[in-house]
Amino acid sequence: MTIKNSKNYDFVIVGAGPAGLTAGIVAARKGFKAAILEKGELAGPKPRGEGMGHYPIVDIILGKNFLPSIGTKSNGGRVWHSPGNLQTTTTYKEYDHYFFEWTKFIDRFVEIASELGVDILLKAEVTEPIEKNGFIVGVKFKDKNGDFSEIHGNAILDCSGYSGVIGSHYGVPYEKEINCPIIKCLISEANIDISETPDLQFYFIGNGDLDYAPNFPQCIPYVFPLEKKRAEVGLMLRMAQVPQMKTVKIPDHDDIMMVWENLKKDYPGFSEFFKGAKIDYEELTFIPNAKMVENFVPCSGVALIGDSAGFVNPFGSSGLYYSMEMANFWVENISKKMKELSDNNMDSIKHHEYIWNSENVEEYTKKFEELEAYKQVKSMYNLIGAFEYKIFNRLRTSEKINKKWIYISSLLKQA
């Protein structure tokens, strides 16, 4: 392999989603050089709708009240439908929640990062980490011309999402333990009036509930209303309990798409949204919501951030807020060590050894586990683990789930 060129930065960030762009923005605001490598032709390349709460971190990164300016305000409600849509439970969040178009959201990140001088390298596909003396000191990547280049940094942040480019290299079991299949679909002219249906909709389907797919895993079709009769709809397969369930057969691509087509056509309640609707985008992909990774620093010199760490809300399966909080935390703390190096005029050869020695990594991790966002995610994973075991493994069928719906509702209100 011929290496065309090499550059040096303080932070090298893999992935230009909200986690990676937040990391770049925070680093640049602190006066550090940051580069973001994105394999797509633009940042956040996949079209989708989204929703998130109006947390302080959003104003800090994107500007005060930017989120309300692009979104439709929800009352924070989530409607949970029992199997067959026989019963419903509505829960509410206490914070303001907005639905918005993904492009408007991600473009704001790019605008701010660019103004701050963050280098965003598009069509730059990271292939492997560069190791030296037991530390990751950079990454190799293939650029838009197909040439291989190297880029070096004092800190490498893997923000590449469910594929976890660097995490995968160090054995993080994304495919077997972290990721769950999900269909994401954008529709327009949907059969929805957001003034009457402002809430997120989730439909429980147990294993064995579908006559045409009796061995299909437990799953949840969902609806996120957007603006002007647009919505993101989809299907989340819940795979955390599957290894313990003899009645489930792991589906392939064709199995999942077959079930999806049938759900759109005639599943009670859910299919109503599709009447007269136009499908603008549809894709089977993955979401890392089965469990968190066990080690956020799989090798000295790199930290896994956001979706690459499975750091999401596993109930709502959104990682936006948590990715931003995690990126902000790790850049803040690593930056402090970088500043100490600068203040003490330490030899550049010792940079990695100082920033990433075992004592400092332990300090980063301990502080992160004290962060409120971490405690929330940890708690939600514990809760959903117990929840899914009771609902999808022990009860399993629609008949039993509907009989216990009052009990299930009480659990949902704790989520």
Side-chain angles (χ1 to χ4, degrees):
M1 180 190 303
T2 301
I3 303 299
K4 188 175 181 182
N5 53 52
S6 176
K7 292 184 178 181
N8 293 285
Y9 291 85
D10 297 303
F11 287 88
V12 173
I13 301 157
V14 184
L21 287 161
T22 295
I25 288 168
V26 175
R29 284 176 176 169
K30 291 185 172 298
F32 293 101
K33 290 175 59 181
I36 303 175
L37 289 79
E38 166 59 50
K39 70 177 181 180
E41 294 184 355
L42 68 163
K46 298 296 180 65
R48 66 196 225 206
E50 261 300 355
M52 74 179 301
H54 189 190
Y55 294 99
I57 188 70
V58 186
D59 283 348
I60 290 169
I61 300 301
L62 300 180
K64 188 172 178 59
N65 290 324
F66 171 74
L67 188 63
S69 76
I70 64 164
T72 301
K73 187 176 181 180
S74 161
N75 60 0
R78 298 181 179 192
V79 182
W80 309 87
H81 302 254
S82 76
N85 196 28
L86 298 181
Q87 303 176 74
T88 62
T89 294
T90 302
T91 61
Y92 293 94
K93 296 295 184 182
E94 296 179 357
Y95 53 81
D96 290 343
H97 193 281
Y98 291 86
F99 300 115
F100 50 86
E101 295 287 351
W102 176 251
T103 302
K104 296 178 183 177
F105 185 63
I106 207 73
D107 283 354
R108 178 62 172 165
F109 281 98
V110 174
E111 177 186 10
I112 294 173
S114 299
E115 289 174 353
L116 290 167
V118 177
D119 286 344
I120 302 175
L121 285 66
L122 301 175
K123 299 185 71 173
E125 183 176 1
V126 173
T127 56
E128 61 182 303
I130 301 169
E131 291 186 32
K132 185 177 181 181
N133 299 326
F135 297 94
I136 296 182
V137 298
V139 296
K140 294 179 182 178
F141 69 98
K142 184 168 63 174
D143 66 20
K144 60 185 178 182
N145 299 316
D147 296 321
F148 285 91
S149 299
E150 292 184 353
I151 188 167
H152 294 80
N154 291 325
I156 312 301
L157 304 181
D158 185 353
C159 306
S160 57
Y162 71 84
S163 61
V165 176
I166 306 299
S168 295
H169 183 89
Y170 290 100
V172 176
Y174 291 105
E175 184 176 345
K176 292 183 178 180
E177 298 182 17
I178 309 294
N179 293 335
C180 293
I182 182 171
I183 291 175
K184 292 192 172 186
C185 176
L186 283 176
I187 59 175
S188 54
E189 300 304 318
N191 184 29
I192 185 173
D193 183 339
I194 197 167
S195 63
E196 296 179 2
T197 313
D199 306 321
L200 282 70
Q201 310 285 320
F202 298 94
Y203 295 78
F204 284 80
I205 299 178
N207 169 234
D209 286 355
L210 303 174
D211 293 339
Y212 49 83
N215 301 118
F216 200 74
Q218 49 272 10
C219 57
I220 299 179
Y222 67 86
V223 180
F224 290 2
L226 299 170
E227 58 183 359
K228 298 179 180 178
K229 301 183 76 65
R230 286 173 54 79
E232 179 179 318
V233 292
L235 177 66
M236 297 184 286
L237 276 64
R238 306 301 306 180
M239 304 298 287
Q241 293 297 317
V242 165
Q244 290 80 44
M245 298 179 68
K246 296 180 180 179
T247 54
V248 173
K249 176 186 175 184
I250 297 177
D252 61 20
H253 178 280
D254 291 342
D255 294 330
I256 296 172
M257 295 308 297
M258 179 274 290
V259 167
W260 174 240
E261 292 301 324
N262 278 280
L263 295 175
K264 290 191 294 182
K265 183 171 61 177
D266 60 18
Y267 193 79
F270 181 68
S271 61
E272 291 296 313
F273 293 96
F274 291 87
K275 290 183 177 179
K278 175 186 174 184
I279 294 178
D280 300 321
Y281 172 81
E282 191 172 64
E283 179 189 30
L284 173 59
T285 182
F286 295 91
I287 190 167
N289 64 355
K291 61 182 288 188
M292 274 193 290
V293 302
E294 295 180 0
N295 187 358
F296 302 122
V297 182
C299 181
S300 293
V302 64
L304 309 181
I305 306 292
D307 283 12
S308 295
F311 197 66
V312 304
N313 174 352
F315 273 95
S317 296
S318 173
L320 294 182
Y321 162 63
Y322 295 105
S323 289
M324 293 175 72
E325 284 282 12
M326 189 177 191
N328 180 65
F329 171 87
W330 282 85
V331 174
E332 285 266 4
N333 282 270
I334 293 169
S335 293
K336 290 177 183 177
K337 299 301 179 185
M338 290 186 179
K339 188 174 186 304
E340 289 173 10
L341 286 168
S342 176
D343 290 346
N344 295 323
N345 296 314
M346 194 173 292
D347 191 322
S348 62
I349 296 175
K350 297 181 179 180
H351 280 193
H352 288 88
E353 182 179 340
Y354 182 77
I355 297 167
W356 296 99
N357 64 56
S358 58
E359 183 178 326
N360 282 339
V361 170
E362 184 177 350
E363 179 187 334
Y364 302 147
T365 304
K366 184 177 180 180
K367 284 184 178 179
F368 181 59
E369 291 176 353
E370 293 171 353
L371 192 71
E372 183 59 32
Y374 174 86
K375 292 178 181 178
Q376 289 177 13
V377 172
K378 181 75 171 178
S379 175
M380 285 187 287
Y381 268 115
N382 289 337
L383 185 59
I384 201 169
F387 179 86
E388 292 193 337
Y389 173 75
K390 293 174 182 176
I391 307 308
F392 291 135
N393 194 330
R394 300 294 293 174
L395 296 177
R396 194 174 64 81
T397 65
S398 63
E399 181 181 2
K400 291 180 178 178
I401 292 172
N402 273 301
K403 281 184 178 179
K404 294 287 187 179
W405 190 251
I406 294 177
Y407 166 69
I408 293 168
S409 294
S410 69
L411 295 179
L412 288 169
K413 290 172 182 178
Q414 299 176 41

